[in-house]
Amino acid sequence: MAGYFYDFTKEHSFHGEFWSAPHDNKDRFSAKIEYTPYNGLVLDYCISDSDSPRTCQRLYGVLNTGEPCTLIGSFDFLQGSMHFGKLRVLTGKHYFKAIIFNGIYTEEDSVEYCDIALHGMQEFIHPQGFISQLKYSTKPILSIHGSEWKIDVINNATFSMIGDSLVNIIDCQHEEAFNKFTKDFWSTKKEYPKAFFSIRKNLKFFLRYANTINDSIIKHIDDIWKLTGLFSILLDKPVIPDELNIKFKGKQKNNPCLFSNGIEQRTIDLALSTINHHFLPLNWKQIDMGEVISKWLNMSDEYNPLSVTYQYETGLRTLHQAHADIILYATQLESINLTLSAKNEDKYIGPINKYASIDLKNKLEAIFSKFNKKTIGENITIVRGELAHVGRPKKLMKVMSIDDYIKIGLYLKITITAHLLSQLGLTKEQIERYQSKVAP
């Protein structure tokens, strides 16, 4: 692991000099790098030298921290502002994809693997209040692979030197047992006088991801973002990176990395909110994570609209957003219905009957029963049509509250998620447990 990491939820700012050729800095210019979780990475530049780059895919530089770095573009400085006087000056702010710290890396440098820790992943794997129950292991606790990728779940521990003081921080109410422990300790020290004991300070889990076909940094970052989508769904809350380190082939060190993802403060607050292992909708011990991750990486592109709603959840809905949710999820139910080979008139109720728990169906029925005696499927057809089509009579829209819209959208989303979970290999019992936890 890298000795230092940059937290994705914090703001970072650096001054530096940057150039376009990895081994020649003659076209260098000064600029400031600003990172925020909301805006991502932005290069605030001022270029007066006519030899400085106008367009390039990567920039290399040195920061005011003394670190060399690599910026992943692409960059087009002609899109900024141009000032004419005695000199032609290009200024502006340029968004870019990623920054790799503590190294100069060209497009020819191949990624060996990425180590990613995610906010919420630690509690998902093991209750952090009982982390001392786990022993540090140098071997992966889980290894899975597909035709194009490999993932190891590893842990990393930090230790503090305790030496002979170990006996001072251990106590036992059983006097004879404690005396024997102390005697055995000093006996061991006498037999191995050079042995020096350390005490573990913390233990942290990482996903070590490698794409075995495409070893570019951009491909690895894109795939990592897909994994955050899976964890967001399983935890029913946004999951964002905590720490990312890149290991390049042929290099000894791991390099800290930041990449742009553009998330709101409310999303960050949800991602950092306290969770409890035993109260989560699902946790590591309840499901076959090897099977789940394997299937997810093969199908994640098909479920991108769903995973994005979990990744960027804010916990707040305006009336417009509540309307949009119903239209989106109703359309996805239609798509799921096609996979069930059900009748077109069952395009909404078919997936609901298949994947929604009895309790979830009762919640939907309770909302619509306030307005009419039509079926769930009929009412979803009506409300979606009223929302999506101009000029259609607004019978339900005139009587429904924003709370009704929000709940309908949520229950449809949970139903679609249940379909995904079934595709990932979860049992009916596991899916119903998930639904009971996430449906208020």
Side-chain angles (χ1 to χ4, degrees):
M1 299 294 167
Y4 185 81
F5 74 94
Y6 295 91
D7 192 329
F8 279 75
T9 67
K10 307 294 184 183
E11 296 185 7
H12 305 283
S13 179
F14 310 93
H15 289 276
E17 286 191 330
F18 304 93
W19 55 90
S20 60
H23 306 299
D24 186 353
N25 67 353
K26 67 180 180 181
D27 60 354
R28 65 187 182 274
F29 61 94
S30 64
K32 179 182 180 182
I33 294 175
E34 296 174 326
Y35 170 84
T36 68
Y38 339 107
N39 298 322
L41 288 156
V42 176
L43 187 73
D44 189 347
Y45 61 90
C46 178
I47 300 175
S48 61
D49 191 338
S50 59
D51 291 330
S52 295
R54 297 297 181 263
T55 61
C56 57
Q57 294 299 311
R58 294 193 180 201
L59 285 172
Y60 310 95
V62 59
L63 304 175
N64 57 336
T65 59
E67 290 180 276
C69 66
T70 303
L71 280 56
I72 312 294
S74 57
F75 296 94
D76 184 354
F77 298 110
L78 296 176
Q79 293 182 356
S81 299
M82 187 177 297
H83 307 275
F84 290 97
K86 292 183 179 180
L87 296 173
R88 186 184 70 165
V89 179
L90 300 175
T91 63
K93 293 187 176 184
H94 203 300
Y95 169 90
F96 62 101
K97 178 78 173 181
I99 179 171
I100 304 167
F101 295 93
N102 206 24
I104 302 293
Y105 296 100
T106 69
E107 294 182 19
E108 284 68 45
D109 288 301
S110 301
V111 174
E112 184 176 342
Y113 60 75
C114 297
D115 286 342
I116 180 75
L118 305 171
H119 287 286
M121 186 177 79
Q122 310 301 316
E123 190 72 22
F124 176 78
I125 294 178
H126 189 84
Q128 295 300 287
F130 300 91
I131 196 66
S132 60
Q133 294 176 347
L134 291 182
K135 185 175 177 60
Y136 168 66
S137 173
T138 57
K139 296 181 179 179
I141 61 175
L142 173 68
S143 294
I144 53 176
H145 63 85
S147 59
E148 299 181 357
W149 54 268
K150 179 183 179 183
I151 292 179
D152 291 332
V153 181
I154 62 173
N155 54 42
N156 182 47
T158 59
F159 297 86
S160 61
M161 295 184 294
I162 192 68
D164 297 348
S165 301
L166 177 66
V167 292
N168 297 333
I169 63 171
I170 294 177
D171 195 14
C172 180
Q173 296 300 311
H174 196 294
E175 186 177 355
E176 291 184 11
F178 182 69
N179 289 337
K180 185 176 188 306
F181 172 85
T182 305
K183 181 180 179 181
D184 290 345
F185 174 80
W186 290 117
S187 175
T188 301
K189 280 291 297 182
K190 184 177 181 180
E191 186 174 356
Y192 304 97
K194 294 184 178 181
F196 196 88
F197 292 89
S198 300
I199 190 165
R200 192 177 79 198
K201 295 175 62 178
N202 59 54
L203 183 71
K204 193 171 186 178
F205 297 99
F206 288 82
L207 298 176
R208 175 164 289 178
Y209 173 79
N211 189 298
T212 55
I213 301 298
N214 187 336
D215 53 16
S216 71
I217 180 66
I218 296 299
K219 176 60 177 173
H220 279 73
I221 288 175
D222 289 344
D223 288 350
I224 283 170
W225 193 241
K226 291 179 183 179
L227 290 171
T228 70
L230 172 62
F231 277 87
S232 296
I233 292 169
L234 295 178
L235 274 69
D236 186 42
K237 61 176 290 186
V239 170
I240 56 181
D242 171 23
E243 176 180 351
L244 174 62
N245 298 295
I246 311 292
K247 171 67 166 60
F248 288 90
K249 294 178 181 177
K251 308 296 182 181
Q252 295 297 319
K253 61 186 177 182
N254 289 7
N255 300 82
C257 177
L258 282 172
F259 64 83
S260 297
N261 45 35
I263 48 181
E264 294 186 41
Q265 184 60 53
R266 286 192 295 261
T267 299
I268 295 173
D269 293 341
L270 278 177
L272 299 182
S273 61
T274 302
I275 57 177
N276 184 290
H277 179 84
H278 300 291
F279 297 148
L280 290 172
L282 296 165
N283 63 54
W284 183 276
K285 298 178 177 64
Q286 294 169 339
I287 56 181
D288 185 342
M289 279 305 298
E291 180 183 14
V292 168
I293 293 175
S294 296
K295 290 185 175 180
W296 173 251
L297 288 176
N298 290 329
M299 66 173 68
S300 59
D301 289 341
E302 301 175 33
Y303 292 91
N304 184 59
L306 180 64
S307 65
V308 164
T309 62
Y310 281 92
Q311 285 173 292
Y312 291 92
E313 179 61 61
T314 64
L316 177 71
R317 284 293 182 277
T318 63
L319 183 59
H320 169 71
Q321 290 170 325
H323 287 175
D325 283 348
I326 292 176
I327 295 173
L328 172 64
Y329 299 136
T331 303
Q332 292 181 342
L333 285 177
E334 293 182 56
S335 178
I336 292 172
N337 190 58
L338 294 176
T339 68
L340 300 176
S341 301
K343 300 176 182 178
N344 185 57
E345 55 265 32
D346 295 334
K347 58 185 176 183
Y348 302 131
I349 195 60
I352 290 172
N353 285 336
K354 174 72 173 178
Y355 297 109
S357 64
I358 294 175
D359 184 56
L360 199 61
K361 287 179 63 177
N362 289 339
K363 292 177 185 294
L364 275 169
E365 287 178 344
I367 294 173
F368 291 119
S369 64
K370 297 183 296 183
F371 312 118
N372 59 48
K373 297 186 181 300
K374 297 181 184 295
T375 65
I376 294 175
E378 290 173 326
N379 275 306
I380 294 175
T381 300
I382 294 170
V383 73
R384 185 201 181 280
E386 292 181 8
L387 290 169
H389 299 288
V390 176
R392 185 165 296 187
K394 312 300 183 185
K395 297 179 181 180
L396 278 178
M397 286 184 67
K398 286 183 178 180
V399 294
M400 288 174 57
S401 68
I402 185 173
D403 189 55
D404 295 325
Y405 289 116
I406 291 173
K407 286 182 178 179
I408 292 169
L410 175 62
Y411 299 152
L412 298 187
K413 172 186 172 182
I414 294 171
T415 302
I416 295 162
T417 303
H419 163 73
L420 168 61
L421 295 177
S422 71
Q423 300 300 108
L424 294 176
L426 272 67
T427 66
K428 181 180 179 180
E429 292 73 20
Q430 290 169 332
I431 295 172
E432 289 187 351
R433 169 187 165 83
Y434 180 92
Q435 294 183 35
S436 68
K437 292 284 187 177
V438 302

